[in-house]
Amino acid sequence: MQEEYKKGILDRLADFLVIALGSFINIFKRDWKKKNKSKMEEWRLMLYALNRSPPGLIGVFLVLVFIFFGVFGPRLAPWPYNYFPFFDNGTAYLAPPGTQVYLPSHETIMSLHLGADHYGRDLLSLLLAGARTSFVISIVVIVLGVPLGILLGLIAGYYGGKTDELVMRITDMFLAFPALILAIALSAVLPNRLQAFISSHAHLQSFVLWLFGLHMREAGNLGRLLSVILAMIIVWWPAYARITRGSTLTEKENLYVEAARAIGLSSWTIMFKHILPNIIGPILVYITLDFGSVILMEAGLSFLGLGATPPIADWGRIVYDGTQFFPKAWWLIIYPGLVVMLVALGWNLLGDTLRDILDPKTRRSIEFKVKKTKKMEEKEGEENA
Amino acid sequence: MIKLAELKKFLIRRILTFLPTLIGVTLIVFIIAYVIPADPARAWAGGEKASQEAIARIKAQYHLDKPWYDQYWFLVSGLAKNTLIDPRTSNPVMDDVGKRFPKTFELALVAFFFVILIGVPLGILSALKRNTWVDTIIRFFALIGVSTPVFWLGYILIFVFFVKFRLINLAGFPAYPSHQITHIPMIDALLTGEFTIFKQHIGRLWLPGFVLGFQGAGVIARFVRNSFLEALSSDYIEFLKAKGVPKLKVYRHALKNALVPIITVLGLQFGGLLAGAPITETVFGIPGMGRYAIQAIQNLDFPAVVAVTFIFALVYVTANLVVDILYAVIDPRVRY
């Protein structure tokens, strides 16, 4: 058991990360580091606990790889998503993995490590470019959908009475639909309006194109891509409203809320500065898990032919187009599906570990271990001195 | 007797909250069909390629030129009285949906069977072998289940069982039994004793059912593990152990108490399985409700989209209602 007390390289990295983050916040808020020593200590203990869980580390690794390719994927792709080698050289059509194709117009040889689709496009490049699509969609859905749900849940739970009744009845209306069905119906009817909207806002349009790493020519397809995003936001917020309301209801009975009210703090301050930080733990776990769910659902929707249209690179869409050539072009189904699974698995592993770390019941043992470490170190220091 | 009165009160209250939810469902369906499309008449008539006269005809037929409350009433009464006509097939749209519903229901039933068959034993095993390699493997399996895209698993298994070994059939749908009692062909075949038809249905649906149930099995395994562990750590179990009751009997007591939340989650899973049908049915070519919904969307067949969405929500809400009532019947503590 001696090993548990040793600080590994990952623990040192955790120390560094926490100090760096603290110093960063200190730039904006004076004396933040001094005032929040215990908070930083807690973050450090959480990272230590993460370091002691192999599944969690695998999750972190997969998620970091996904984020890396989400940001740099389109740049790292050897070939652009909108170049169709098929028109240069017909043998590129559904070329199996490992084929080399000569492209007369470029006077180069294209090596298709993972095979090609029916436009002759390199599957590896498509997967790399598709990482950006998945990444942006999951971030946008979570960043817009979750805070909306949390806000409504806080309001409903804190004010109670008629406000609660109204908000929760609306939430129930949305929760009455199976998520996938509502998302399918919405992403089927939304594109026209969204296309009209995005076409009339040139700046927004170029921003969205830049975000997804798309060429100007794809502007006409943005409506469909955005419809999936909006549909998933509409599907996603109600669950968070319900969770947040539930924990707010129990949390607001606590004495500290009453004390805050007694000294005359405004409802918004109490909700956001006092209640929210106390209930955010479980919500963070749900958010982590839901990154995986959003990516899975997006892949499912584009597999059904909704959302991204060719030539936009999208993992689910590659499979949808590849099914016409099944089982001959197996690589068009196996590889994109495998990538989706690994990414979802990464988020799920991370979320699962976070759940253990944030749960006070299971965390105690971990904290105990690490605290012992420090005492041991002090002892060692004394001995050395 | 007081307890029964409480149950009655709970039932009445629960059914009363069911009504606003139902109205909410129709409202959202109405928004999807009438409010969101920029030019509903054109959209209903088939989008860009629709001719002017078709648009005019559709407009009059579906009250698209009337004020919103008239449109809403037309939609709701059309869904309730089955007077909403599908412009593509000229059938009342609920007839088309009704024809496909049993297939999807059957698929969900088979999937549900797999969820229970795989999920519950794995969960119990995982709890009994807590913190051993068995537990780790089962937890990992549960995570794999939640993370696997349904279409991917479906195509891999099609490759194995259809392309390589020709063990399954992917075309059409087996015949229905001669007598319809419950209108679910598989159950009817069992009831009327037509076992060959039952076998055909199982043969067609076992693999899609497994694929659809795979995700749910992981979720259930995890849930069974946690609630069984929680039951095992309660005071009455400690008491039984102290009393010297044999191990197996102790487990039986714990399982009985853990079963209540498990049944709830299983019930909710069934609704979720129905909803997962579109992808599974598309992969395996089953002509059920999910496949119908996707085809309706591709053809811009609005009445069909509306009807399918409504039916899915209706089944889902009803499943939740049944689960709630069951829960209240089994566990008196929730009838407050």
Side-chain angles (χ1 to χ4, degrees):
Chain A
M1 283 284 126
Q2 196 63 29
E3 277 171 357
E4 276 176 5
Y5 302 126
K6 267 187 198 156
K7 259 193 189 180
I9 186 157
L10 285 170
D11 291 339
R12 289 183 200 284
L13 185 70
D15 289 352
F16 173 75
L17 277 178
V18 170
I19 291 168
L21 187 65
S23 313
F24 181 71
I25 300 175
N26 220 25
I27 299 173
F28 302 103
K29 287 185 182 169
R30 281 193 71 197
D31 290 339
W32 188 90
K33 239 162 127 183
K34 242 183 229 164
K35 280 182 199 161
N36 290 286
K37 256 194 178 146
S38 60
K39 195 182 257 177
M40 279 168 62
E41 188 61 31
E42 199 180 317
W43 289 350
R44 220 157 57 122
L45 291 177
M46 280 178 189
L47 285 177
Y48 283 3
L50 185 63
N51 286 342
R52 273 155 193 73
S53 142
L57 285 179
I58 297 173
V60 171
F61 173 73
L62 288 172
V63 165
L64 284 179
V65 169
F66 171 60
I67 293 175
F68 177 77
F69 285 118
V71 176
F72 300 109
R75 280 163 199 240
L76 293 174
W79 296 86
Y81 72 92
N82 56 357
Y83 168 60
F84 307 119
F86 171 63
F87 299 114
D88 259 15
N89 182 346
T91 54
Y93 174 81
L94 293 181
T99 324
Q100 308 260 337
V101 176
Y102 178 66
L103 300 173
S105 66
H106 286 69
E107 294 187 338
T108 50
I109 287 169
M110 183 185 195
S111 5
L112 301 156
H113 300 292
L114 299 183
D117 71 352
H118 55 301
Y119 298 118
R121 293 184 294 172
D122 174 27
L123 183 58
L124 178 66
S125 305
L126 285 182
L127 292 181
L128 286 171
R132 171 71 71 86
T133 317
S134 255
F135 180 64
V136 173
I137 289 180
S138 57
I139 295 260
V140 173
V141 169
I142 297 284
V143 164
L144 294 181
V146 171
L148 178 68
I150 292 179
L151 177 71
L152 289 172
L154 269 176
I155 291 174
Y158 185 74
Y159 287 107
K162 280 199 177 131
T163 323
D164 183 23
E165 198 65 23
L166 181 71
V167 173
M168 288 330 283
R169 281 292 89 80
I170 295 175
T171 310
D172 281 349
M173 270 161 64
F174 285 93
L175 284 175
F177 289 88
L180 185 68
I181 301 295
L182 187 59
I184 286 174
L186 282 169
S187 47
V189 293
L190 281 168
N192 284 340
R193 284 242 164 158
L194 284 173
Q195 188 62 52
F197 173 78
I198 199 85
S199 305
S200 58
H201 294 75
H203 287 297
L204 189 63
Q205 179 177 309
S206 45
F207 173 70
V208 173
L209 285 171
W210 172 81
L211 211 57
F212 281 102
L214 297 175
H215 189 267
M216 246 324 272
R217 234 173 290 145
E218 263 68 71
N221 292 334
L222 278 185
R224 287 177 56 104
L225 198 55
L226 292 180
S227 74
V228 166
I229 297 180
L230 187 56
M232 285 205 285
I233 292 172
I234 294 172
V235 168
W236 236 266
W237 71 264
Y240 282 89
R242 182 170 269 189
I243 300 167
T244 314
R245 173 188 174 265
S247 6
T248 309
L249 276 181
T250 45
E251 198 66 27
K252 79 168 179 184
E253 299 302 324
N254 282 338
L255 212 57
Y256 74 88
V257 177
E258 210 172 302
R261 218 180 288 154
I263 60 168
L265 290 182
S266 75
S267 307
W268 290 90
T269 317
I270 296 174
M271 277 197 286
F272 286 99
K273 289 216 156 159
H274 297 271
I275 296 181
L276 186 59
N278 279 307
I279 59 171
I280 199 75
I283 296 177
L284 275 179
V285 174
Y286 279 109
I287 291 175
T288 316
L289 294 172
D290 270 354
F291 266 105
S293 316
V294 169
I295 286 163
L296 272 178
M297 188 188 266
E298 193 270 332
L301 287 173
S302 42
F303 168 75
L304 293 172
L306 299 155
T309 41
I312 296 174
D314 180 286
W315 294 337
R317 185 71 198 197
I318 298 170
V319 179
Y320 173 77
D321 291 331
T323 52
Q324 337 168 28
F325 311 109
F326 181 82
K328 193 187 136 218
W330 51 268
W331 52 91
L332 290 177
I333 290 162
I334 299 298
Y335 292 133
L338 185 67
V339 171
V340 173
M341 196 197 85
L342 285 177
V343 173
L345 186 66
W347 284 111
N348 278 323
L349 283 171
L350 181 60
D352 214 44
T353 314
L354 274 186
R355 196 204 311 262
D356 285 348
I357 293 176
L358 291 173
D359 186 355
K361 269 188 235 157
T362 42
R363 193 177 60 192
R364 229 200 207 149
S365 58
I366 302 165
E367 250 175 66
F368 186 61
K369 263 184 216 162
V370 185
K371 267 182 189 153
K372 238 185 180 174
T373 320
K374 283 173 67 191
K375 264 184 197 162
M376 297 268 298
E377 268 179 10
E378 281 166 23
K379 253 189 193 167
E380 275 170 21
E382 279 166 22
E383 279 167 19
N384 288 341
Chain B
M1 284 324 278
I2 299 167
K3 274 183 187 162
L4 273 183
E6 267 177 11
L7 183 63
K8 209 170 157 191
K9 245 164 111 187
F10 171 84
L11 287 182
I12 290 171
R13 211 175 50 233
R14 186 63 186 80
I15 287 167
L16 276 181
T17 56
F18 182 66
L19 286 175
T21 316
L22 213 56
I23 294 169
V25 167
T26 58
L27 267 177
I28 290 180
V29 165
F30 172 70
I31 290 172
I32 288 172
Y34 281 82
V35 183
I36 293 177
D39 184 356
R42 181 182 289 276
W44 282 56
E48 302 304 321
K49 55 189 185 288
S51 66
Q52 277 308 318
E53 77 183 293
I55 292 176
R57 194 153 46 82
I58 295 276
K59 215 180 217 172
Q61 193 183 348
Y62 295 105
H63 293 217
L64 288 158
D65 46 358
K66 301 272 171 54
W68 70 268
Y69 48 84
D70 188 276
Q71 293 176 350
Y72 177 66
W73 183 245
F74 171 76
L75 190 73
V76 172
S77 61
L79 286 173
K81 289 188 283 187
N82 194 14
T83 51
L84 200 62
I85 306 291
D86 188 333
R88 235 162 35 85
T89 60
S90 315
N91 293 333
V93 69
M94 282 299 179
D95 289 3
D96 284 351
V97 177
K99 250 185 260 161
R100 287 159 177 90
F101 181 76
K103 293 166 190 157
T104 302
F105 193 82
E106 232 175 37
L107 174 65
L109 222 56
V110 176
F112 194 54
F113 176 74
F114 277 111
V115 168
I116 297 176
L117 195 76
I118 300 172
V120 175
L122 280 189
I124 293 174
L125 190 67
S126 182
L128 290 180
K129 305 262 173 197
R130 179 167 46 145
N131 296 335
T132 61
W133 59 273
V134 179
D135 186 24
T136 312
I137 286 175
I138 292 173
R139 277 182 75 167
F140 195 70
F141 163 79
L143 280 176
I144 292 273
V146 193
S147 316
T148 308
V150 173
F151 54 83
W152 188 61
L153 183 66
Y155 273 104
I156 286 178
L157 293 181
I158 286 179
F159 190 79
V160 174
F161 288 102
F162 182 70
V163 180
K164 283 278 172 225
F165 297 114
R166 299 270 161 201
L167 279 175
I168 53 161
N169 177 18
L170 283 180
F173 203 79
Y176 285 13
S178 45
H179 290 290
Q180 306 251 326
I181 304 164
T182 56
H183 291 272
I184 310 297
M186 216 171 356
I187 299 171
D188 285 352
L190 267 186
L191 289 177
T192 55
E194 292 171 73
F195 292 111
T196 44
I197 289 182
F198 179 73
K199 247 171 90 181
Q200 283 169 355
H201 280 259
I202 293 288
R204 178 74 172 96
L205 290 175
W206 70 268
L207 194 61
F210 174 76
V211 169
L212 184 56
F214 188 66
Q215 189 171 37
V219 175
I220 289 297
R222 200 197 158 90
F223 192 82
V224 169
R225 173 186 185 270
N226 290 346
S227 49
F228 192 39
L229 277 182
E230 199 167 308
L232 276 178
S233 66
S234 1
D235 290 341
Y236 63 87
I237 294 294
E238 290 296 315
F239 172 68
L240 286 179
K241 277 186 195 161
K243 228 172 78 175
V245 175
K247 242 185 183 176
L248 267 176
K249 252 191 177 164
V250 174
Y251 291 149
R252 232 181 53 203
H253 276 278
L255 200 59
K256 236 185 201 168
N257 277 282
L259 219 54
V260 179
I262 291 171
I263 286 175
T264 321
V265 174
L266 276 175
L268 296 178
Q269 273 289 322
F270 189 71
L273 287 176
L274 275 174
I279 294 176
T280 317
E281 285 176 1
T282 306
V283 171
F284 288 93
I286 296 167
M289 240 181 14
R291 180 110 191 84
Y292 179 64
I294 302 302
Q295 280 166 343
I297 284 166
Q298 278 162 357
N299 299 324
L300 285 175
D301 189 351
F302 268 76
V305 176
V306 164
V308 174
T309 315
F310 177 70
I311 291 295
F312 266 119
L314 195 66
V315 174
Y316 197 56
V317 175
T318 314
N320 287 3
L321 179 75
V322 172
V323 166
D324 269 8
I325 291 173
L326 258 182
Y327 200 2
V329 171
I330 303 173
D331 188 352
R333 281 169 297 184
V334 290
R335 294 176 216 155
Y336 49 86

